[in-house]
Amino acid sequence: RKMQYPPKGTLLADSAYESKQHIISIANPKHKEGFRGAHSPHVLFWFDEATAPNLEDKFTLANTQAKKFLALSNPSTLSGEFRAAFPKEDPDKTQTIVDQYGRTRVITISGWDCTNVKEMCLENPIAPIGGIKIGDRFYRHGELIDDEDFEKCKPIVPGQTCYDDFMPLYHSSDPLTKNVYALGKFPDEDPEKQLILWSWLTKPRDRTGESPALTLGIPPPPKVSMGVMETKWSSLSPVDFGEQLQELFEDHRDIYNLLFPAEAMGLDVAASKHGDKSVLAVGGAYGCRGIHECQFSDTQQTMEWVFDIARTVYGVDLTEGSVPIGIDWGGGYGNAVGDPMERRGVSVVKIHGSASSDVDPNKYANKRAENYGEVGRYLDPLGDFRMMNIVMVKNQKLFEELTAPQKIYAGRDGEKYYITPKDRRGADERFEGKTLRELLQRSPDRADAVVYMFDAKRRGGRRKLLVA
């Protein structure tokens, strides 16, 4: 079709037959494209660069027609069909698993396994990082290699990575470059796409430097004059810090509630005895102290359960209105609990995920993106809150849910973004990826409760008025 002088002729046939089991035909002969075929039972599909977005829907299609298919790619992404084919736990281990495609062999090939790297082949006649010994002579890093010696270590496999290309990747100070591009491992996290990284929750925090101004409107936590907190605990991760506090105050809950009071709550409401659970998150400016779950089909029972947890565990009477509780008001069961709570004096912060951001409309495309983005900014160990000791309850499912949402840019400026939709009901018709429910095989109720709690803390609640 791109020929400047197309040859003369007419279409004589639009199909080719090898047998009754194997036929190929042109679906649209007028345009000479759009092949359609009936394949043999032994057809093999081969996907190269298998993480490409335009291949996402092709894997399932290939699996309906092929006995086997091969998919190869550099594992640089945290999501997609290629990543989903590898196990969540220990994805870099070569192993055989059973997944949505049936019996699958997952293989990780390290750069050290490549022939050119094992044989120390060089692309250029300059000694690589660490130097190289050729025959009886050792060349130091950066030293020019003689022509005679260079002939002995030229690439064996054309086009494959050579030893001098591999070594800078392997010695990179960026762990992502080393693990992904040198060792062929899946990344643990993607700072470019994720709003919250797993390492922010579980790795020690750097407490060097001066404390910046806290621009989120959340005051610092109460000053605790304990030498052990100022020294031994000063660089603990949010999860470790939370565990240490629980252990320290295990037999002194009243003191714990005094030093780290329940300043806000977040509630994700479900109404089922067999499906999703209702989740209550409790915390304050210092972070998240607790996650509580229940499963009632009656929203009245859920409401009474919230009152009971607040009173017996945290010493809070929600009907006084001094502790706000954030509840999703986006069309689920939230208002079925929130409305009667309001009538009893509770300070309810109504959260509409599709509403416009009131923090930064130029950055967040809606309220849901704002809620997750601001919690990410709070947890970022290099951000505005890096000098704070932050508490986060230890909960594996919570971590999976907090780190699952990714940015989906709304424009071409690379600034304003939505986040991965919760389910198909809340997804844009143009969204082609997997929803959070599809990725997690459950609803992200724990993470939603936590971000609702932080939003309730930011927007505040009614305070007691004391008159003397």
Side-chain angles (χ1 to χ4, degrees):
R1 292 172 61 191
K2 293 184 179 180
M3 288 182 177
Q4 188 172 358
Y5 303 102
K8 295 180 179 180
T10 57
L11 181 68
L12 299 179
D14 60 9
S15 301
Y17 295 84
E18 180 190 60
S19 65
K20 289 183 178 180
Q21 286 186 319
H22 204 175
I23 175 177
I24 187 169
S25 62
I26 301 175
N28 192 341
K30 290 184 179 180
H31 291 86
K32 302 180 179 66
E33 63 182 6
F35 283 94
R36 175 176 60 194
H39 304 287
S40 75
H42 304 293
V43 65
L44 171 68
F45 283 84
W46 185 304
F47 296 94
D48 194 14
E49 299 296 342
T51 55
N54 62 334
L55 293 180
E56 285 295 295
D57 60 339
K58 306 298 190 301
F59 288 93
T60 302
L61 180 62
N63 202 44
T64 64
Q65 303 182 42
K67 279 288 184 180
K68 293 182 180 179
F69 67 80
L70 299 176
L72 300 91
S73 188
N74 197 289
S76 57
T77 180
L78 292 172
S79 59
E81 291 291 334
F82 183 77
R83 175 62 184 89
F86 289 74
K88 289 185 178 181
E89 297 295 329
D90 205 3
D92 304 312
K93 178 182 178 182
T94 296
Q95 55 189 300
T96 299
I97 63 172
V98 177
D99 64 357
Q100 68 268 35
Y101 299 118
R103 196 162 178 263
T104 301
R105 181 71 173 169
V106 291
I107 302 170
T108 296
I109 301 174
S110 167
W112 290 113
D113 299 325
C114 296
T115 301
N116 284 351
V117 175
K118 285 194 294 186
E119 299 298 328
M120 302 179 76
C121 300
L122 303 179
E123 187 73 28
N124 301 295
I126 300 173
I129 294 175
I132 187 171
K133 185 177 182 181
I134 305 174
D136 296 329
R137 182 173 176 181
F138 180 80
Y139 291 90
R140 297 182 182 278
H141 178 207
E143 190 175 352
L144 189 65
I145 299 172
D146 291 343
D147 291 343
E148 185 178 344
D149 286 336
F150 182 56
E151 285 294 327
K152 299 176 183 177
C153 55
K154 282 188 175 181
I156 296 174
V157 181
Q160 189 185 85
T161 297
C162 292
Y163 186 70
D164 50 348
D165 294 325
F166 170 78
M167 292 304 284
L169 297 174
Y170 182 71
H171 286 91
S172 172
S173 59
D174 180 8
L176 184 69
T177 298
K178 176 181 178 180
N179 291 326
V180 174
Y181 297 104
L183 302 179
K185 296 181 178 181
F186 280 101
D188 295 323
E189 48 198 29
D190 186 350
E192 295 297 321
K193 294 182 180 179
Q194 287 178 281
L195 289 86
I196 301 172
L197 303 184
W198 198 291
S199 59
W200 295 356
L201 303 167
T202 59
K203 289 189 177 180
R205 297 173 68 85
D206 182 7
R207 299 299 303 276
T208 60
E210 297 181 0
S211 177
L214 306 183
T215 59
L216 199 58
I218 300 178
K223 178 65 177 178
V224 182
S225 301
M226 291 185 176
V228 67
M229 285 191 180
E230 295 172 354
T231 55
K232 186 187 290 185
W233 291 7
S234 60
S235 62
L236 289 176
S237 72
V239 171
D240 289 339
F241 187 56
E243 286 196 307
Q244 291 286 353
L245 288 178
Q246 285 189 4
E247 183 178 339
L248 180 66
F249 295 109
E250 184 176 4
D251 299 323
H252 305 282
R253 183 183 294 173
D254 292 342
I255 299 177
Y256 194 9
N257 288 336
L258 179 65
L259 295 175
F260 297 89
E263 299 173 328
M265 299 184 183
L267 178 65
D268 186 87
V269 183
S272 169
K273 283 192 174 183
H274 308 288
D276 297 334
K277 295 181 179 180
S278 293
V279 180
L280 178 69
V282 183
Y286 52 82
C288 179
R289 260 187 65 183
I291 290 285
H292 307 272
E293 302 179 18
C294 74
Q295 199 163 33
F296 299 116
S297 57
D298 183 1
T299 54
Q300 180 71 25
Q301 289 179 289
T302 301
M303 181 181 69
E304 294 300 334
W305 169 79
V306 171
F307 284 134
D308 184 61
I309 291 292
R311 182 178 62 257
T312 59
V313 179
Y314 300 97
V316 171
D317 183 356
L318 286 173
T319 61
E320 293 180 352
S322 59
V323 176
I325 179 168
I327 302 178
D328 181 24
W329 227 259
Y333 297 98
N335 58 341
V337 174
D339 282 336
M341 275 186 156
E342 276 194 310
R343 290 195 291 270
R344 292 176 63 173
V346 179
S347 175
V348 175
V349 176
K350 301 174 183 179
I351 298 172
H352 299 269
S354 60
S356 299
S357 168
D358 54 20
V359 172
D360 189 350
N362 294 320
K363 179 179 180 181
Y364 303 120
N366 55 27
K367 187 68 178 177
R368 185 168 176 80
E370 175 198 292
N371 282 344
Y372 274 87
E374 291 298 290
V375 171
R377 196 160 74 87
Y378 173 73
L379 292 171
D380 185 354
L382 299 179
D384 292 339
F385 300 85
R386 63 180 179 271
M387 299 304 293
M388 289 177 59
N389 278 114
I390 293 175
V391 176
M392 183 56 66
V393 62
K394 186 175 182 179
N395 187 303
Q396 185 79 5
K397 289 185 176 180
L398 170 63
F399 301 164
E400 292 174 359
E401 294 169 15
L402 283 173
T403 56
Q406 296 190 0
K407 300 175 184 176
I408 303 171
Y409 290 100
R412 297 181 179 180
D413 58 0
E415 292 292 334
K416 192 172 183 177
Y417 61 82
Y418 299 90
I419 64 172
T420 309
K422 187 172 181 177
D423 48 39
R424 289 293 163 188
R425 185 181 60 182
D428 186 279
E429 60 182 11
R430 295 169 295 177
F431 179 71
E432 297 180 352
K434 287 191 173 184
T435 65
L436 293 178
R437 186 180 286 275
E438 291 167 344
L439 287 168
L440 297 165
Q441 300 300 306
R442 64 178 184 273
S443 178
D445 302 326
R446 297 158 192 82
D448 283 350
V450 169
V451 301
Y452 297 162
M453 181 269 291
F454 277 107
D455 190 36
K457 175 58 185 171
R458 281 198 303 273
R459 292 200 268 168
R462 299 193 304 276
R463 300 291 180 183
K464 298 178 186 177
L465 179 61
L466 303 179
V467 181

